[in-house]
């Protein structure tokens, strides 16, 4: 067993999921990540937990469709880890599990460098510190209606969070009310038809990896209506077209990364979106985040060094959160 992978598995089981001996756990994974699931199982069994592993079919980025059609599949379990290649957290099955008070940790294990996500250093971020950061940020944006984002590269984006509540992930299910993700961030299920303007993407595009050359993405009434005709832009265009689902073009989440141990370099989807100094626009399904949009998947577009305003209050300055002259 790889020492760093074991370290990450222990964090998930002991520090994030907070399992108790009388609970039963389901680990949902794929053939590609079965070895990692087995390591997670080893640490869960040490607590005395009953553990099942469920292998999903090779359905790729549309894996979530099965868990929409079978929304009661998690009912027999007290705790669930979604340890597949792609996130299951926005599916109806995950939404139901969370509403029923079960523990759910989203652990999409997709990486682009051949290293297990469990072995990445960002997994060791202190959950207490990240909780303090997230709560301070949410106190200052809760109740806002408008979000404005700009960058020196040309991002000029207007979004709406009217009537929507921000939340945060830091791994720990107690902090997340039973539900959390390995991505350490504050998230907002934005109004799905109200994003307008230009996003210049210079970080990463979800599971695909690093953006080599920044390019423009234009939103109108929530939907992507144009992607700059460049080599980097074509990668995103082809990826979106592969879903064959017009609903995937809608912005449904706005997130601010808070993990100071993460670096957005395209090696790991979760590390990219949680890196401090970044923000992301989540495309597609957002049910479990508190939104109302359905789609056949969900992934994030990550960018750097933004100025972010909530109802004209300057909350993020060139990627750094600043609240009442306090930076973190």
């Amino acid at each position: 067993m790889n020492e760093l992978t074991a370290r990450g598995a222990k964090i998930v089981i002991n520090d994030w999921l907070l399992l108790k001996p009388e609970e039963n756990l389901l680990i949902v994974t794929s053939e590609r990540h079965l070895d990692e699931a087995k390591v997670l199982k080893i640490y869960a069994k040490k607590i005395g937990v009953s553990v099942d592993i469920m292998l999903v079919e090779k359905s790729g980025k549309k894996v979530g469709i099965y868990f929409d059609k079978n929304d009661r599949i998690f009912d027999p379990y007290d705790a669930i880890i979604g340890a597949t290649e792609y996130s299951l957290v926005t599916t109806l099955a995950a939404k139901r599990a969370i509403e029923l008070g079960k523990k759910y940790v989203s652990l999409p294990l997709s990486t682009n460098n051949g290293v297990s996500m469990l072995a990445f250093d960002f997994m060791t971020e202190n959950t207490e510190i990240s909780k303090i950061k997230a709560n301070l940020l949410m106190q200052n944006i809760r109740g806002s209606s408008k979000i404005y984002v700009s960058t020196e590269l040309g991002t000029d984006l207007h979004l709406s969070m009217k009537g929507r509540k921000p939340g945060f992930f830091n791994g720990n299910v107690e902090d997340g009310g039973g539900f959390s993700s390995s991505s350490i961030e504050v998230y907002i299920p934005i109004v799905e038809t109200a994003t307008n303007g230009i996003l210049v993407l210079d970080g990463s595009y979800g599971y695909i990896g690093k953006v080599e050359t920044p390019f423009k993405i234009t939103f109108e009434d929530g939907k992507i209506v144009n992607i700059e005709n460049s080599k980097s832009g074509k990668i995103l265009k082809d990826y979106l077209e592969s879903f064959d689902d017009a609903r995937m073009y809608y912005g449904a989440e706005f997130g601010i990364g808070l993990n100071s141990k993460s670096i957005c370099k395209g090696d790991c989807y979760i590390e990219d979106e949680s890196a401090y100094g970044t923000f992301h626009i989540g495309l597609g399904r957002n049910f479990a985040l508190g939104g109302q949009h359905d789609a056949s998947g969900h992934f994030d577009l990550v960018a750097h060094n933004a100025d972010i305003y909530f109802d004209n209050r300057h909350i993020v300055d060139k990627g750094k959160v600043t609240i009442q002259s306090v930076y973190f």
Side-chain angles (χ1 to χ4, degrees):
M1 185 190 306
N2 180 284
E3 183 178 336
L4 292 179
T5 301
R7 178 192 67 181
K10 188 175 181 180
I11 288 170
V12 173
I13 297 299
N14 294 346
D15 300 340
W16 292 2
L17 203 50
L18 305 171
L19 287 171
K20 300 175 182 178
E22 67 272 15
E23 293 178 324
N24 59 344
L25 168 67
L26 176 65
I27 302 172
V28 185
T29 194
S30 61
E31 288 284 356
R32 180 173 182 177
H33 297 290
L34 182 56
D35 288 343
E36 291 155 290
K38 288 179 178 178
V39 178
L40 289 165
K41 181 176 181 178
I42 288 171
Y43 281 94
K45 296 290 282 185
K46 287 183 178 182
I47 298 172
V49 172
S50 172
V51 185
D52 289 336
I53 292 178
M54 175 191 293
L55 289 178
V56 299
E57 297 179 359
K58 296 180 179 179
S59 48
K61 56 184 174 291
K62 293 188 177 183
V63 64
I65 294 175
Y66 174 82
F67 294 93
D68 284 338
K69 293 180 178 178
N70 298 275
D71 64 331
R72 295 175 181 268
I73 199 165
F74 299 147
D75 283 10
Y77 296 93
D78 302 304
I80 303 99
I81 299 176
T84 53
E85 182 79 357
Y86 299 94
S87 175
L88 302 176
V89 73
T90 56
T91 63
L92 293 179
K95 181 174 185 285
R96 175 179 169 83
I98 295 160
E99 289 175 345
L100 290 175
K102 300 178 185 295
K103 298 177 180 179
Y104 189 100
V105 168
S106 177
L107 195 72
L109 293 170
S110 175
T111 62
N112 297 313
N113 65 351
V115 176
S116 169
M117 191 191 85
L118 295 174
F120 279 63
D121 285 341
F122 78 85
M123 296 282 294
T124 65
E125 175 75 341
N126 186 297
T127 58
E128 284 300 316
I129 292 174
S130 59
K131 177 183 178 180
I132 292 169
K133 290 179 179 180
N135 281 329
L136 182 60
L137 177 55
M138 288 195 300
Q139 287 170 15
N140 282 267
I141 67 176
R142 193 177 287 117
S144 299
S145 294
K146 299 177 182 178
I147 307 171
Y148 174 64
V149 186
S150 67
T151 67
E152 292 181 352
L153 289 178
T155 292
D156 185 22
L157 206 58
H158 295 266
L159 311 95
S160 173
M161 60 176 288
K162 187 176 182 178
R164 301 295 174 89
K165 296 180 180 179
F168 78 97
F169 296 133
N170 69 340
N172 186 300
V173 291
E174 283 189 354
D175 292 342
F179 158 49
S180 200
S181 168
S182 44
S183 174
I184 293 180
E185 62 175 273
V186 164
Y187 65 86
I188 302 160
I190 53 177
V191 177
E192 298 85 357
T193 57
T195 300
N196 289 281
I198 293 172
L199 167 66
V200 177
L201 194 65
D202 66 337
S204 70
Y205 10 41
Y207 303 98
I208 304 171
K210 183 180 179 180
V211 173
E212 294 299 332
T213 305
F215 63 96
K216 293 182 180 180
I217 303 168
T218 304
F219 287 83
E220 289 183 7
D221 297 329
K223 185 178 182 180
I224 292 175
V225 295
N226 188 62
I227 298 172
E228 184 177 335
N229 187 22
S230 64
K231 182 179 178 180
S232 294
K234 188 176 186 303
I235 291 172
L236 177 61
K237 184 177 180 181
D238 290 347
Y239 187 71
L240 281 169
E241 288 178 350
S242 71
F243 282 92
D244 192 26
D245 183 356
R247 300 170 300 177
M248 285 298 301
Y249 289 77
Y250 281 85
E253 176 205 0
F254 181 74
I256 298 174
L258 294 178
N259 192 333
S260 59
K261 293 186 178 181
S262 289
I263 303 173
C264 179
K265 51 188 177 182
D267 289 338
C268 176
Y269 168 55
I270 291 296
E271 179 174 36
D272 291 347
E273 70 173 6
S274 65
Y276 182 62
T278 69
F279 71 94
H280 56 271
I281 305 295
L283 301 178
R285 187 193 295 114
N286 67 355
F287 284 140
L289 303 177
Q292 302 173 359
H293 189 63
D294 193 12
S296 55
H298 178 96
F299 75 101
D300 299 314
L301 305 175
V302 185
H304 298 278
N305 301 328
D307 286 292
I308 305 174
Y309 298 80
F310 288 83
D311 285 352
N312 298 319
R313 286 174 294 124
H314 196 187
I315 300 296
V316 178
D317 181 7
K318 300 294 185 298
K320 295 181 178 180
V321 178
T322 172
I323 300 165
Q324 297 177 347
S325 301
V326 177
Y327 284 79
F328 62 75

